[in-house]
Amino acid sequence: MLDQDMTAKIANGQGFIAALDQSGGSTPKALKGYGVEEGAWSSDEEMFGLIHDMRSRIITSPCFNGEKVIGAILFERTMDGQADGKPVPQVLKERGVVPFIKIDKGLEDDVNGVQLMKPMPELDALLARAKSLGVYGTKERSVINLANREGITAIVKQQFEVGQQVLAGGLMPMLEPELNIKSPERAEAEQILLEELLKALDAMPGDDKVMLKLSIPSKSGLFDPLVDHRRVLRVVALSGGYARPEACAELAKNRGMIASFSRALLEDLRFQMSADEFNGSLGGAIDEIHKASTVKV
């Protein structure tokens, strides 16, 4: 797929984006969910090898293709790795799946009810490497915990600044100001986030577009103005701690939002499964998430 083909697939594709980007801090939890306990590895390299094996198994499954999975977000090590003897981004593109790369390096401590992203001094080099491997876009996560206007404004400002750096590197930025769905001020924080995102989108120079990855709103349809904004290529949703049935039910209430689930996609997979069991379980999850992304209620 060429860049224009990938842009068309992300803008108009009837499917969802798989999030396979668990980083070092969240890898043990992801492996435990997969049925691999912490004592199964003795070094970080072995741990990352186990998670890469899991991701490779997913990516090469017959049901993981561009028919229902239009994109996949990768951890840096996964991007640099191989599946079926080929670079992972190449394998994805051959299957009709658009590759993205997680670029953030984790979160700062909470200030003003939010957690900004840590500095990314090596970002330009990472963007160049990703571009050379055929990656289409990036994803960057920060977190909003409270309805603090100053904090949320800072989150949005940082997200768009990094997004401009990504655009300058020739990639499509997926901005992810995650809103903690357990926040006691969730509804108010969602409204402030919507207002600040619209301001930032309206202020964007040139003709560039960005993607947004957002928590599913507590009020269905709240993010419709973002879905319709001329500067937004696509709005995708994270599962945010919901189990898959609830995440899908909530997503289906929101026009124009498609899934970009991680835990909700992988929650039933276990390394002990036979190939048929694994592919059947993954296929069932893909079908359920695809339906919630494309059939709205």
Side-chain angles (χ1 to χ4, degrees):
M1 288 189 288
L2 301 173
D3 278 358
Q4 62 264 33
D5 299 323
M6 292 192 283
T7 297
K9 181 128 198 178
I10 293 302
N12 305 311
Q14 293 298 298
F16 69 95
I17 296 173
L20 306 176
D21 59 336
Q22 298 90 352
S23 57
S26 56
T27 294
K29 188 174 182 180
L31 282 171
K32 186 172 184 180
Y34 186 49
V36 181
E37 296 295 334
E38 267 194 62
W41 63 87
S42 57
S43 67
D44 283 351
E45 287 303 313
E46 288 185 15
M47 178 186 73
F48 285 122
L50 289 167
I51 199 76
H52 183 75
D53 289 345
M54 180 190 81
R55 291 168 179 153
S56 296
R57 194 177 183 188
I58 293 165
I59 289 166
T60 57
S61 174
C63 59
F64 196 91
N65 57 62
E67 182 183 346
K68 294 181 178 178
V69 183
I70 62 172
I73 306 168
L74 305 174
F75 180 48
E76 185 177 343
R77 284 175 175 254
T78 309
M79 177 189 77
D80 291 330
Q82 295 197 339
D84 272 353
K86 300 176 183 178
V88 169
Q90 179 184 338
V91 172
L92 289 172
K93 290 167 76 172
E94 288 175 354
R95 289 171 163 261
V97 179
V98 177
F100 292 78
I101 173 71
K102 168 189 161 71
I103 57 172
D104 65 87
K105 302 301 180 185
L107 301 171
E108 300 278 20
D109 292 337
D110 190 298
V111 176
N112 290 329
V114 304
Q115 291 174 272
L116 293 167
M117 295 179 285
K118 290 181 177 178
M120 293 172 262
E122 309 299 325
L123 180 55
D124 285 338
L126 175 58
L127 296 175
R129 193 166 85 250
K131 185 74 174 172
S132 72
L133 288 167
V135 170
Y136 173 72
T138 64
K139 190 214 76 166
E140 56 194 64
R141 173 179 175 263
S142 43
V143 174
I144 298 166
N145 294 308
L146 296 173
N148 182 303
R149 171 92 51 182
E150 182 179 351
I152 294 173
T153 300
I155 282 265
V156 172
K157 180 174 184 288
Q158 185 190 45
Q159 284 281 346
F160 275 80
E161 286 173 350
V162 174
Q164 288 296 333
Q165 190 175 351
V166 171
L167 287 165
L171 297 169
M172 170 58 63
M174 185 190 300
L175 315 183
E176 185 185 9
E178 176 181 349
L179 205 154
N180 183 348
I181 62 171
K182 296 180 180 177
S183 169
E185 302 172 355
R186 179 181 175 187
E188 185 182 353
E190 288 171 342
Q191 184 61 42
I192 295 171
L193 176 61
L194 172 63
E195 293 167 6
E196 295 302 320
L197 285 172
L198 288 171
K199 285 182 200 173
L201 288 166
D202 289 341
M204 282 181 65
D207 298 317
D208 289 322
K209 294 186 177 186
V210 298
M211 295 175 65
L212 299 174
K213 180 168 179 175
L214 305 173
S215 303
I216 302 169
S218 55
K219 179 185 176 183
S220 301
L222 179 69
F223 293 147
D224 283 0
L226 301 173
V227 171
D228 296 333
H229 201 286
R230 66 187 183 90
R231 295 294 197 174
V232 177
L233 183 68
R234 203 78 191 254
V235 179
V236 305
L238 59 130
S239 52
Y242 286 129
R244 185 169 63 247
E246 190 173 6
C248 288
E250 292 300 312
L251 176 61
K253 300 173 186 175
N254 288 274
R255 173 183 66 81
M257 289 184 76
I258 64 172
S260 178
F261 293 171
S262 174
R263 191 184 324 163
L265 172 64
L266 311 177
E267 61 188 28
D268 295 332
L269 302 179
R270 302 293 181 270
F271 87 97
Q272 300 94 336
M273 288 176 164
S274 67
D276 285 346
E277 289 171 334
F278 185 89
N279 295 332
S281 181
L282 179 60
I286 287 173
D287 288 346
E288 190 176 349
I289 296 168
H290 175 264
K291 182 179 179 181
S293 298
T294 57
V295 181
K296 300 300 180 175
V297 297

